[in-house]
Amino acid sequence: VGASAKYLSCSLIIEEGLSIEELERVLGSLAKTCKDSGVNVVCGDTKVVPKGKCDKIFINTAGIGEIVCEGVELKNLKAGAKILISGDVGRHGGVVLAAREEFELGLDLKSDCKSLKEVVLKLFSAGIKPQTMRDATRGGLSAVLN
């Protein structure tokens, strides 16, 4: 919230039998996203668990950043504030649910998961200071608004 990520830890829990191709795809995506965002992966760990003990791969990250806009905190939120949403609501959750439950939606639905760093930095450089910011990935829009 109000910070630009600089460093990331990345730990993997991999289910026995995960294909090397799938692992390379996941790590390639991570590397590209980090490069595009100017973030360095500086540490991590990898564990392999028996087949059936994990949903292919669990990725756990934690980041350290540099504050670029002071005072962007949840406690600053006031009644009547305008809510800005960076994209459509529910896409990421829908894609994850469909993949986990192996639903055939008949749509070419892709996750909207992406870095918002450049969008947020443009707000700051335009003199727009949000009262607070929140990722709706966990809990959805209702949790954010609550």
Side-chain angles (χ1 to χ4, degrees), residues 10 12 22-32 57 59:
C10 180
L12 308 174
E22 190 162 4
L23 181 60
E24 287 174 342
R25 183 183 60 78
V26 168
L27 294 179
S29 178
L30 172 73
K32 181 181 181 333
I57 185 169
I59 303 171

Side-chain angles (χ1 to χ4, degrees), residues 41 46 61 109:
V41 176
T46 303
T61 62
L109 193 59

Side-chain angles (χ1 to χ4, degrees), residues 53-79:
K53 297 296 182 184
C54 133
D55 188 14
K56 293 185 183 179
I57 185 169
F58 291 157
I59 303 171
N60 181 40
T61 62
I64 297 176
E66 172 183 37
I67 294 174
V68 294
C69 188
E70 294 280 345
V72 179
E73 302 177 46
L74 183 59
K75 68 181 181 181
N76 296 336
L77 191 58
K78 305 288 186 264

Side-chain angles (χ1 to χ4, degrees), residues 5-18:
K6 298 289 180 189
Y7 307 102
L8 189 72
S9 69
C10 180
S11 295
L12 308 174
I13 300 173
I14 302 170
E15 184 177 41
E16 182 181 30
L18 180 76

Side-chain angles (χ1 to χ4, degrees), residues 38-130:
V39 175
N40 292 305
V41 176
V42 295
C43 65
D45 191 26
T46 303
K47 299 288 185 230
V48 177
V49 297
K51 190 155 190 69
K53 297 296 182 184
C54 133
D55 188 14
K56 293 185 183 179
I57 185 169
F58 291 157
I59 303 171
N60 181 40
T61 62
I64 297 176
E66 172 183 37
I67 294 174
V68 294
C69 188
E70 294 280 345
V72 179
E73 302 177 46
L74 183 59
K75 68 181 181 181
N76 296 336
L77 191 58
K78 305 288 186 264
K82 304 291 187 256
I83 305 296
L84 177 65
I85 299 174
S86 63
D88 54 355
V89 177
R91 178 188 299 251
H92 178 73
V95 169
V96 171
L97 179 64
R100 282 188 181 153
E101 300 301 324
E102 298 180 359
F103 292 150
E104 290 296 327
L105 299 177
L107 302 170
D108 188 26
L109 193 59
K110 298 203 183 316
S111 174
D112 63 350
C113 192
K114 64 183 174 210
S115 173
L116 297 175
K117 179 178 179 176
E118 293 305 315
V119 173
V120 172
L121 290 177
K122 285 180 182 178
L123 287 175
F124 294 160
S125 65
I128 299 169
K129 182 181 175 187

